[in-house]
Amino acid sequence: FVEYVRQQLTSEYGRALYRNGFTVHTTLHSKLQQIADKHFAIEIGKVQARVDARLAAKNVSQGMRDSAVVQAAFVAMDPASGKILAMIGGRDFGESEFNRATQAKRHPGSAFKPFVYTAALDNGRFTIDVIDDNAIVIPERSGEIWDPENYDHKFKGPMTLREGFKQSRNLIAIKLAQEIGPQRIRQYAMTMGIDTPIRPVWSIGIGTSEVTLLNMLAAYCVFPNKGIYVEPTSLSRLESKDGNVFFAQESGRKREVLRPAVAVVMTDMLRSTIDE
């Protein structure tokens, strides 16, 4: 987090950052950061143990096993203000300065589906609309055939959009992408805060374009913010060496990116995946 802040300040103030002696007040919540560090270590340890066991069962050499180090990232942000409260960019900054929370681009998979459903609900669809969760075949430009599947390799037949979302059915998301159009879904994702390249392809519905964790977090916060995007921020106040405040902010920059009614419905649908 400190390196993330330093890079931002260097970009804005250059050498003056070191020459003038700033006092920097950040948004980090020290207690939450401690809690995040504790549980990060516990959870990544569990995953590492599973990976080690799997490799050992396959008789992979010890050298290969030693190099199979699991990495992860974590960010906590206040949705209303955009203040970053906790950040972890990897196991150990001393071993790797690469910040996986802000720099690593990964496939979001099903975590991208809310953008598909957002586009659908904002363009005439309703949560009670029914779509068939059944097999489809999609011809590719290359001439090859794509026959997408659900993660459980099953088809469950007709279901509402709410149910399809709650159960994360791939075929429902892909059919919606076909109906709405990948280009429109791409536009919604970008408007809501994703700034990595999103390919407007049929598989957009199941998250085949890379994103960063911080981007995804800020985009998701549009839902509880009732359609308002808030730019993540790590700085709350800057003071000169004589104590004068020359920069202060209560929140990141805001802009309306989605109709409040759609954001409220999407928040309810996201809640149903947990509550039900």
Side-chain angles (χ1 to χ4, degrees):
F1 176 79
V2 172
E3 175 61 13
Y4 174 70
V5 172
R6 188 194 67 77
Q7 289 176 4
Q8 289 185 311
L9 289 172
T10 300
S11 175
E12 182 71 24
Y13 298 102
R15 293 181 180 178
L17 172 65
Y18 306 99
R19 185 174 60 245
N20 297 350
F22 295 173
T23 299
V24 180
H25 297 262
T26 75
T27 59
L28 197 78
H29 190 298
S30 59
K31 182 63 176 177
L32 290 180
Q33 181 69 45
Q34 290 173 7
I35 294 170
D37 287 336
K38 174 184 175 182
H39 290 281
F40 181 91
I42 293 171
E43 296 304 321
I44 202 171
K46 292 177 182 177
V47 178
Q48 186 69 63
R50 291 201 298 271
V51 170
D52 292 344
R54 175 71 65 86
L55 295 177
K58 292 186 175 183
N59 294 318
V60 174
S61 68
Q62 186 62 50
M64 289 288 286
R65 272 186 264 171
D66 291 342
S67 67
V69 177
V70 174
Q71 284 285 1
F74 177 91
V75 184
M77 187 179 105
D78 175 30
S81 67
K83 291 180 179 179
I84 297 172
L85 305 175
M87 176 184 286
I88 302 173
R91 279 177 175 268
D92 187 338
F93 184 77
E95 294 179 0
S96 170
E97 297 182 10
F98 184 63
N99 189 339
R100 292 157 187 82
T102 62
Q103 296 174 301
K105 296 176 183 178
R106 298 285 181 265
H107 292 113
S110 291
F112 199 83
K113 289 175 182 173
F115 303 119
V116 180
Y117 282 80
T118 294
L121 293 176
D122 204 28
N123 287 276
R125 278 293 195 170
F126 297 91
T127 59
I128 57 173
D129 288 348
V130 175
I131 293 183
D132 248 342
D133 176 28
N134 58 13
I136 56 173
V137 174
I138 301 174
E140 301 280 8
R141 290 179 180 176
S142 63
E144 295 181 0
I145 298 297
W146 180 41
D147 52 344
E149 294 183 309
N150 290 307
Y151 67 93
D152 58 2
H153 307 295
K154 297 177 181 179
F155 303 107
K156 296 190 175 182
M159 61 175 59
T160 64
L161 293 195
R162 178 181 290 276
E163 195 65 27
F165 182 73
K166 185 174 72 176
Q167 295 190 32
S168 192
R169 307 304 290 174
N170 290 345
L171 271 299
I172 302 292
I174 292 167
K175 287 184 176 183
L176 283 175
Q178 287 183 300
E179 176 185 308
I180 300 161
Q183 189 66 44
R184 184 176 288 180
I185 294 169
R186 173 179 179 269
Q187 191 59 51
Y188 273 85
M190 292 172 62
T191 301
M192 291 173 66
I194 304 298
D195 63 12
T196 47
I198 302 296
R199 296 182 296 278
V201 294
W202 296 125
S203 59
I204 191 173
I206 52 176
T208 52
S209 290
E210 299 86 355
V211 298
T212 66
L213 177 58
L214 187 59
N215 271 179
M216 283 290 283
L217 176 59
Y220 263 55
C221 285
V222 169
F223 300 126
N225 284 338
K226 297 182 179 179
I228 304 297
Y229 171 81
V230 184
E231 185 177 318
T233 179
S234 59
L235 299 170
S236 58
R237 193 169 76 252
L238 297 175
E239 299 174 6
S240 61
K241 61 184 177 183
D242 53 8
N244 292 324
V245 176
F246 63 92
F247 172 86
Q249 63 177 1
E250 290 299 317
S251 70
R253 288 175 289 191
K254 301 181 179 183
R255 64 177 186 271
E256 185 172 350
V257 297
L258 188 64
R259 288 193 298 127
V262 175
V264 168
V265 173
M266 280 303 304
T267 301
D268 187 61
M269 288 181 67
L270 284 160
R271 186 179 288 118
S272 72
T273 67
I274 304 298
D275 294 345
E276 299 172 25

